[in-house]
Amino acid sequence: MPSPHVPHAAASGRRRPRRGDTLPALFADVVRRYPDAVAIVHDERRVTYRELDAVSDDYAAELEDLGVGPGRFVPVLMRRDPEFIAVLLAILKRGAAYAALDREWPTERLAGQITHLDPPLLITDRDGAWPVPTWQPGPIAGVAGGRRPTPVAVGPDDPCSVLYTSGSSGEPKAVVSVHGGTARLYDDCDFLPLGRGAVMPQLAPVQWDGFSLDCWSVLLTGGTSVFVDDDVLLPARLRELIERQHVNIAFLTTRLFNMLVDEDLDAFDGLDTVLVGGERVSPTHLRRFLDARPGTLLSNMYGPAECSVVVTARTVTAADCDDPGGVPLGRELVDTEVWILDGDRPCAAGEIGEICLGGRGLAAGYAGAPELTAQRFVAVELQGTPRRLYRTGDLGHRTSDGVLYFDGRTDRQVKIRGHRIEPGELERAATTVPGVRDTAVLPTVNHRGECDGLALFYTSPGLTAVEPDDLRARLAATLPEHLVPGRVHRLDRLPVLAVGKIDLRALADLLGAPPVPGPGGADACRTATEQAVAAVFAAVLDVPSVPRDASLVELGGSSIDAARVCVRLETELGVPVQISQLCRTPAVGTLAAWLDVVRASEEAPVAVDVTADRIPLTAMQSLLFMTPVRDTAAWWVDGPLSVPALTAALADM
C-alpha cells in the first residue's frame, strides 16, 4: 500500500530571511522601501504608502487615547475607502484585532456581533444607536500628521482580525485569525507575482476572508490596490481598470470568473495573472480561458477562513480541465500542512478522507466559543509528533506525488454565491420567532443544477400560527440576505425517519423539481423592447421564456445573472445598463419601459422654452423622479445656488 503523504519541505522552508511575521512589520518594510509608491487608488484619489502610514499612525494615537490596546477586538463599520484601510492599520498598530462588518447586514445582527466582541468602541461612519461608544475618523486630507502611538509588542500568534461565518449552532462563528497566518503568505510570496508593479482590484467584501487575498496581498508587498465600488464587476469595468489603472492581476470568485468568460473573454486583455476561488471551479470555463489566453497565469486557490484564506494553489493547465477527478486544488503553500485523515489515521494515496490543515496559518479559534474551538481545532499525533489541526469538513484525496483533490463535504454546509452557510443557523433563527415550533432547512437547486438558495420548512400550530410570508419578512429583518430563505413552507408536521431524525429526502421530494419560468396570458410581452428584454432574461436563466411582470430575482436570478443581463442588453440594444438600474426596474416590463425612455431621449432631445415659468422635464428627468430610488439623490451645482428656487422646483416635481 502506498505510504501516507508527508507535507512537502516547502511547507517549512524559505528562500530568504523574513521581512516580518506580523502585518504591521510587513507594512513598515514596504513603507521603508517604497514610501512614495501609490498604495491605494479609489476613483480619482491616490494615496502613497508614506501618506497611508502617517495617517494610520495618527489614527492609532487617537485610538490609544480611546482605550484601544493589545488583545482587544475592534469592530469597523465603514464604507470601503482609503480611510477604512488606514483604520485597520491603526488597529493593528495598537496590537488589537479588527472585525470588518458588512454595512448591508440588518442592524440587529450588527448590534449582536458588536456586543459579542466586547469592544472598547465601534469605528463607524454611520449614525445609529449602537451598544458601545463610537469614533469616526477624519478624512485623510484633513489629518495633520505627526502623531505617533506608543509602540506595542505584537507577535505572530497574536490576533489580527475576526471574520464571521455561518454557524451550525444557530449563531455566526467568529474566526480569530493571527498575524502569522497572513504574514506567512506575503512575507516571501512564491505563489503569486506580487511586489512593486502588481496592481490588483479590491473586489472582495471587507467582511469576507477573500479580502486578505485581494487587499493585504498587495499592500504588504508594495503593489497598488485599486478599490472598486461596483457590486459586480462587469466586463466593461474590467477593461477600464486594465486600461486606466493598469490592473494586471485579479482575484475573482468562481461565478464572477465564469460570467466574464461567458460574456466577454476579451475583457481579460492585459491581465498577467488571474486567481479563481471561493467555490469549486468549472473545468469548461477554465479551458475556454486557457484556449483564449495561453500566456496568462491562471491559478486555482483553495482554503477556509480558519487557515488564513489560502492553503493550496494550482497553476491550471489544459490537462487539468480534462482530469476525471476535477481540477486539482494543488499543493500546500509555505508554512502550511495539509493532511487527509480517516479519524486520526492518515489516508493512503488515492484514499478519500477529511482534509485537515495545520501550520502557521491556523486561526486561534472561535471567539467566545471554546467548545466549538475544541471540536474543530484538534490535537492529533502524526508521525510521532503532536500537531494542532483544523478539521475542515471537506473531503479530499491526494495522488502519490502529493497533488490535492476535492471530493465533497462531510456535513450539511453549502456555499451559495460564495457564502459559506450552515443550514442550522437559519433553523435556529426561525425557531426564535414566536409561534414557530419545528424547523428544517434544505438548499435549493435551480434548473441549471446550481445551489441557489435555501428552503425553510416549519410547523406553527394553534392560534399563534405564523404565515410563510410573515415568517420570511421577520427573518429578512434580522439575517443577512444570503441566509434569508427563498422558499418558505408551513407543514402540519415535519416528516421523520424511523430513528426519529427529520427525513430530508422526503422534504426534498416536497420541493419538487426546480421551477422553470414560463409565460402566462396577461404576462405576455407587448412591445418589441419587452420581447428583446425577455429574450435576454430567458437566455441568461437558460429557460424557454419568462413573464413580463416577474422580477429577475423572482425568476431565480442571482447578482451574477444580473450582471449577465446588463452586459447582453448593452450589446443588443446599445444602452448601458447598470446593475443598480436593474435593481430599480427588475421586471421585463419595467426595464423595457426604462430602456424605451432612454432611447427616445437620445434620439429626440426635448426642446424647451427657457423663458417659460415652468420648464417641462426631459424623458430622463421624468424617469429619475418618477422611479423609486433606494439611494439618496445628489446633484453637483456649478455656479450660484438659489435655495428657495431649488426648493420650489423640487416641490413642483
Side-chain angles (χ1 to χ4, degrees), residues 438-440 457-459 489 491-496 502-503 507:
D438 301 315
T439 60
F457 296 89
Y458 72 103
T459 62
H489 303 271
L491 303 176
D492 292 334
R493 63 182 63 85
L494 297 182
V496 295
I502 294 176
D503 189 343
L507 290 178

Side-chain angles (χ1 to χ4, degrees), residues 51 54-59 83 86 135 137-147:
E51 292 169 330
V55 172
S56 62
D57 274 347
D58 192 283
Y59 288 172
E83 283 79 6
W135 175 65
I140 287 178
V143 175
R147 300 182 66 192

Side-chain angles (χ1 to χ4, degrees), residues 73 92 96-99 158-163 175-178 182:
F73 296 150
L92 296 172
Y98 68 83
D158 291 325
C160 67
S161 65
V162 180
L163 298 167
V175 182
V176 181
S177 294
V178 298
T182 300

Side-chain angles (χ1 to χ4, degrees), residues 257-556:
F257 172 79
N258 293 348
M259 183 274 288
L260 292 169
V261 169
D262 285 339
E263 302 304 328
D264 190 353
L265 257 172
D266 291 339
F268 292 99
D269 283 353
L271 289 182
D272 300 323
T273 304
V274 175
L275 320 174
V276 184
E279 294 179 80
R280 196 169 190 173
V281 293
S282 161
T284 301
H285 290 85
L286 296 179
R287 169 60 75 96
R288 288 184 59 199
F289 180 90
L290 290 173
D291 288 344
R293 299 283 174 271
T296 304
L297 186 149
L298 179 63
S299 185
N300 182 24
M301 316 296 289
Y302 165 76
E306 286 85 349
C307 200
S308 303
V309 187
V310 186
V311 294
T312 67
R314 171 78 172 189
T315 298
V316 182
T317 66
D320 290 336
C321 302
D322 298 325
D323 193 319
V327 178
L329 299 181
R331 300 178 185 274
E332 60 266 48
L333 302 180
V334 68
D335 291 334
T336 303
E337 295 182 3
V338 178
W339 298 86
I340 308 297
L341 300 181
D342 177 9
D344 290 349
R345 178 185 66 83
C347 293
E351 182 183 359
I352 295 177
E354 184 177 11
I355 299 175
C356 299
L357 307 175
R360 292 180 65 224
L362 284 192
Y366 301 108
E371 293 182 0
L372 180 61
T373 298
Q375 176 186 345
R376 304 298 292 192
F377 293 86
V378 298
V380 179
E381 184 170 315
L382 297 169
Q383 301 173 345
T385 303
R387 285 178 164 85
R388 179 174 180 261
L389 301 178
Y390 168 66
R391 294 191 178 276
T392 67
D394 287 338
L395 294 172
H397 72 277
R398 304 193 80 143
T399 61
S400 57
D401 60 349
V403 178
L404 180 66
Y405 287 78
F406 176 77
D407 293 295
R409 288 286 303 174
T410 64
D411 55 21
R412 299 172 60 201
Q413 185 185 108
V414 295
K415 275 204 169 183
I416 298 175
R417 299 187 297 279
H419 296 281
R420 201 171 83 181
I421 292 175
E422 298 278 3
E425 182 169 359
L426 175 55
E427 291 169 348
R428 175 69 178 274
T431 59
T432 64
V433 176
V436 174
R437 183 175 294 176
D438 301 315
T439 60
V441 170
L442 291 181
T444 60
V445 178
N446 62 25
H447 58 283
R448 291 172 288 184
E450 301 168 340
C451 183
D452 66 345
L454 301 172
L456 169 65
F457 296 89
Y458 72 103
T459 62
S460 183
L463 299 177
T464 59
V466 181
E467 295 301 320
D469 287 346
D470 184 36
L471 177 56
R472 189 181 187 282
R474 296 192 190 191
L475 292 171
T478 60
L479 296 175
E481 183 272 336
H482 60 270
L483 272 173
V484 178
R487 301 170 67 177
V488 182
H489 303 271
R490 178 184 166 197
L491 303 176
D492 292 334
R493 63 182 63 85
L494 297 182
V496 295
L497 300 168
V499 294
K501 294 183 178 181
I502 294 176
D503 189 343
L504 298 179
R505 185 180 296 275
L507 290 178
D509 291 340
L510 290 176
L511 280 178
V516 177
D523 289 340
C525 295
R526 304 165 186 170
T527 68
T529 306
E530 288 183 358
Q531 292 171 4
V533 173
V536 169
F537 275 36
V540 167
L541 297 172
D542 193 21
V543 296
S545 58
V546 298
R548 73 181 294 274
D549 294 330
S551 74
L552 187 69
V553 174
E554 291 171 345
L555 296 171

Side-chain angles (χ1 to χ4, degrees), residues 42-59:
H42 186 211
D43 294 331
E44 301 305 317
R45 300 178 64 188
R46 277 160 173 68
V47 180
T48 67
Y49 278 99
R50 189 196 307 275
E51 292 169 330
L52 191 58
D53 185 48
V55 172
S56 62
D57 274 347
D58 192 283
Y59 288 172

